[in-house]
Amino acid sequence: MTISLVFCSFFYFFIFLRNYSDTETEGEIFNSLVQYFGDNLGQKVKAMPLVEETSLLEDSSVTLPVVVIGNGPSGICLSYMLSGYRPYFSSEAIHPNTILHSKLEEARHLSIVDQDLEYLSEGLEGRSSNPVAVLFDTLLHPDADFGYDYPSVLHWKLEQHHYIPHLVLGKGPPGGAWHNMEGSMLTISFGNWMELPGLKFKDWVSSKRRNLKGDRVMPEEIARYYKHYVKVMGLQKNFRENTYITSVSRLYRDQDDDDGQDRNISTQHLQIEKSKFIKRNWEIRGYQRTADGSHVPFCLFAENVALATGTLDSPAHLEIEGEDFPFVFHSMPEFGAAISKGKLRGKVDPVLIVGSGLTAADAVLCAYNNNIPVIHVFRRRVTDPSLIFKQLPKKLYPEYHKVYHMMCTQSYSVDSNLLSDYTSFPEHHVLSFKSDMKCILQSLSGLKKVFKLSAAVVLIGSHPNLSFLKEQGCYLGHNSSQPITCKSNPVEIDAYTYECVKEANLFALGPLVGDNFVRFLKGGALAVTRCLATRQKKKHLFVERGDGIA
């Protein structure tokens, strides 16, 4: 069944339930929903306390327990764990951290999902600010930051009774932004750090890999691995591609209403009579793009929404004059396409590259390898200890240290002209771009310099596209007056559940909460799964006792 039919069936399902009371009709519609989920899932749906058949028929709409927005590694890993896969401390495993090992021994019979994550995380240190991310990383890759390649201390079991029905919505195939990354560059992380639970990257790639020195891999290999992972782990039924979200909003129910209808209530109305309304479920609206380019609208309802969009949607801008001229690019794919199409071939004027991160370094290498002269502008000193190059071992990342060496040794001076291949401008910024393809640079001292360009590439980071949320999602951040960014203003979450502090039943994981590396985002999937599983158990007990059942 295509996604358009699925969403149409959902849509008409809601309409039918709101307008028909005939139980046979409702039963037939429910059966079609079960068919959509698959026979296996159909049995689980009936067994799940969150979506029992009676609740589906008595409520005025079908409400999924979870909808995940984003199908990159964060969304894939979350789907894996929501599908019932559970990590256990292996019977013969010995963790090099003796304190953590002792804690794991105390409850070896329990999956990590069923244990106290705060207790297990206590005292651990790592390269993430989120304690559960550090915990899960040290279980999957013990002492990785010390250069060791110890095996994971976990083994995984599929426990189907833990399945929580969910949908993962993404714009493209599973793998997210990895399918759009420039293919000529190596990933910053080792291949085994990019892998997801249950499928070793080395095992998957062994029969496909060309001879390559070291353990780093191409982005297209990672993209294929993620797509294959969803298939081999049996997660396809949870994934829907070519979906674009236009709004995610709360539904509120009037406590005085007897018709049981959830409604969108205006913010002004809520402020006037806030106590009269109770928060209900989420309404997710959007469209699916079909093969012929048409848009099929859909509307879903969910008890919980997990944001796993990543932060690569909207490249950051300098916000200066002339930045919208067509010769100014803001992504590696744009720049790479211009080179591959021959638009910069034979140009004598240099390409301006702005930024001091790894993406900017990739652009420098791309231009350098295509014999295109480069002007490299960045605000920091070359000795700044926070530069990413300072954190990369030279033997493992020679190409990036080549760029860093040029940044240090081939810098511009007033007494010299531009070098033939590369010239760096430390502690400079771009004042403006001009229509005649010139740019104005300014130093810290205020000295200005004008250069003629063949193109410009601004690579200073990116922001997530959260336009489907109120206030563009800004209200979810630590600083609600600023856009969400991975480094300076991530989504504010509970450290052990990844639930948004400012919005119940809304979760965020991955780069949105500062975990920009795949090895750390898996901890978010663990935290969200534990939170939802715990609430499910409580609700199940509540239902079994018959307390407060309407």
Side-chain angles (χ1 to χ4, degrees):
M1 182 181 291
T2 65
I3 185 169
S4 58
L5 290 176
V6 169
F7 284 138
C8 283
S9 64
F10 262 109
F11 179 73
Y12 288 117
F13 181 80
F14 300 140
I15 293 175
F16 277 126
L17 280 183
R18 286 192 171 103
N19 294 282
Y20 291 88
S21 60
D22 182 77
T23 56
E24 183 177 353
T25 302
E26 293 179 353
E28 290 172 355
I29 299 171
F30 175 73
N31 288 335
S32 69
L33 182 67
V34 170
Q35 184 180 2
Y36 149 68
F37 275 119
D39 293 337
N40 246 355
L41 178 56
Q43 296 171 3
K44 295 168 197 166
V45 167
K46 294 179 182 180
M48 293 290 296
L50 292 179
V51 286
E52 291 178 329
E53 181 174 1
T54 53
S55 67
L56 284 170
L57 301 180
E58 290 171 4
D59 286 351
S60 60
S61 64
V62 174
T63 301
L64 289 165
V66 188
V67 167
V68 182
I69 300 176
N71 65 353
S74 296
I76 295 172
C77 191
L78 180 55
S79 178
Y80 177 77
M81 300 190 72
L82 292 177
S83 295
Y85 286 94
R86 290 292 183 265
Y88 286 83
F89 186 41
S90 298
S91 58
E92 299 179 357
I94 300 177
H95 197 282
N97 184 317
T98 56
I99 296 176
L100 178 58
H101 180 85
S102 297
K103 292 179 179 179
L104 294 167
E105 284 281 14
E106 294 171 7
R108 192 187 283 269
H109 62 290
L110 294 176
S111 79
I112 304 300
V113 173
D114 296 315
Q115 297 188 41
D116 186 340
L117 300 183
E118 183 172 3
Y119 172 66
L120 293 177
S121 303
E122 187 180 6
L124 297 179
E125 295 181 355
R127 290 165 55 192
S128 171
S129 59
N130 296 311
V132 179
V134 175
L135 166 66
F136 210 30
D137 178 66
T138 195
L139 296 176
L140 294 168
H141 307 289
D143 282 356
D145 286 333
F146 296 105
Y148 296 106
D149 189 21
Y150 293 137
S152 169
V153 298
L154 301 177
H155 71 278
W156 293 82
K157 295 180 182 178
L158 175 56
E159 299 175 347
Q160 295 189 357
H161 59 284
H162 286 312
Y163 186 97
I164 298 178
H166 61 282
L167 282 181
V168 183
L169 308 179
K171 296 177 182 177
W178 285 95
H179 291 279
N180 303 320
M181 291 186 183
E182 176 65 29
S184 63
M185 302 300 170
L186 295 169
T187 62
I188 186 64
S189 296
F190 297 119
N192 64 325
W193 287 0
M194 313 296 288
E195 69 189 19
L196 299 179
L199 180 62
K200 289 185 177 296
F201 181 81
K202 288 181 179 178
D203 294 344
W204 175 81
V205 82
S206 59
S207 62
K208 304 175 176 62
R209 184 100 176 255
R210 73 265 179 267
N211 185 25
L212 180 66
K213 184 179 179 181
D215 288 324
R216 292 168 60 211
V217 295
M218 295 288 191
E220 61 263 29
E221 289 180 308
I222 297 298
R224 289 197 301 269
Y225 165 79
Y226 290 145
K227 188 174 181 180
H228 177 77
Y229 181 94
V230 169
K231 181 179 179 181
V232 76
M233 292 300 173
L235 308 178
Q236 307 101 308
K237 64 179 176 290
N238 305 318
F239 281 74
R240 299 295 178 268
E241 302 176 15
N242 302 315
T243 58
Y244 296 78
I245 310 301
T246 56
S247 73
V248 175
S249 58
R250 277 284 197 187
L251 293 175
Y252 292 82
R253 177 171 289 177
D254 189 331
Q255 294 183 12
D256 297 334
D257 271 358
D258 295 326
D259 62 2
Q261 295 289 319
D262 287 342
R263 298 182 176 84
N264 273 311
I265 308 296
S266 69
T267 304
Q268 183 179 8
H269 196 179
L270 277 175
Q271 290 173 344
I272 295 173
E273 299 183 83
K274 197 168 184 179
S275 61
K276 188 180 178 183
F277 299 99
I278 56 174
K279 286 185 178 181
R280 293 290 292 174
N281 299 315
W282 293 98
E283 179 187 77
I284 303 102
R285 290 185 177 271
Y287 62 89
Q288 181 248 339
R289 182 176 290 170
T290 59
D292 63 3
S294 61
H295 294 176
V296 179
F298 66 82
C299 178
L300 297 173
F301 298 91
E303 294 182 357
N304 303 278
V305 170
L307 302 174
T309 61
T311 59
L312 296 178
D313 290 310
S314 303
H317 285 57
L318 295 169
E319 305 296 343
I320 60 173
E321 177 191 346
E323 196 173 1
D324 57 350
F325 286 132
F327 66 87
V328 181
F329 306 124
H330 290 86
S331 71
M332 271 298 294
E334 284 182 304
F335 182 48
I339 291 177
S340 64
K341 292 176 181 177
K343 292 182 177 180
L344 302 178
R345 189 178 298 132
K347 298 286 186 180
V348 294
D349 295 321
V351 166
L352 172 70
I353 297 174
V354 184
S356 59
L358 296 178
T359 308
D362 284 342
V364 170
L365 290 169
C366 188
Y368 188 87
N369 293 335
N370 283 276
N371 299 313
I372 301 171
V374 172
I375 293 176
H376 188 189
V377 175
F378 46 96
R379 290 179 176 270
R380 298 183 185 183
R381 307 184 315 275
V382 293
T383 55
D384 190 326
S386 64
L387 283 173
I388 185 64
F389 309 100
K390 299 277 190 178
Q391 305 171 34
L392 304 178
K394 290 183 180 180
K395 290 184 178 180
L396 298 179
Y397 305 95
E399 76 281 20
Y400 288 129
H401 279 277
K402 176 182 178 179
V403 174
Y404 181 55
H405 179 73
M406 292 193 298
M407 290 167 64
C408 295
T409 62
Q410 296 181 218
S411 59
Y412 178 82
S413 67
V414 179
D415 300 327
S416 64
N417 294 321
L418 294 178
L419 300 175
S420 60
D421 55 354
Y422 172 94
T423 307
S424 69
F425 285 77
E427 299 182 273
H428 280 68
H429 64 277
V430 184
L431 278 181
S432 63
F433 295 103
K434 301 301 180 182
S435 59
D436 57 357
M437 299 186 72
K438 291 181 180 179
C439 72
I440 302 176
L441 307 183
Q442 185 174 34
S443 67
L444 279 180
S445 64
L447 181 66
K448 296 179 182 178
K449 195 77 176 177
V450 180
F451 294 100
K452 183 78 164 60
L453 308 173
S454 61
V457 194
V458 178
L459 300 168
I460 55 173
S462 59
H463 304 302
N465 181 3
L466 299 176
S467 59
F468 51 82
L469 292 171
K470 69 178 183 180
E471 300 175 18
Q472 309 287 311
C474 293
Y475 78 105
L476 299 174
H478 288 264
N479 183 347
S480 60
S481 64
Q482 297 295 321
I484 299 296
T485 61
C486 175
K487 293 182 179 179
S488 60
N489 191 37
V491 173
E492 187 177 7
I493 55 169
D494 180 281
Y496 300 100
T497 66
Y498 280 59
E499 186 172 29
C500 296
V501 169
K502 296 165 185 173
E503 193 74 82
N505 302 109
L506 181 65
F507 298 82
L509 63 162
L512 290 175
V513 299
D515 288 331
N516 216 19
F517 292 101
V518 174
R519 56 180 287 205
F520 292 114
L521 60 79
K522 291 170 273 193
L526 170 64
V528 174
T529 301
R530 169 169 167 71
C531 178
L532 294 176
T534 301
R535 290 178 182 177
Q536 175 184 303
K537 288 179 182 178
K538 290 179 179 178
K539 187 168 184 177
H540 198 178
L541 291 173
F542 185 76
V543 171
E544 285 181 343
R545 289 197 308 265
D547 297 342
I549 300 300

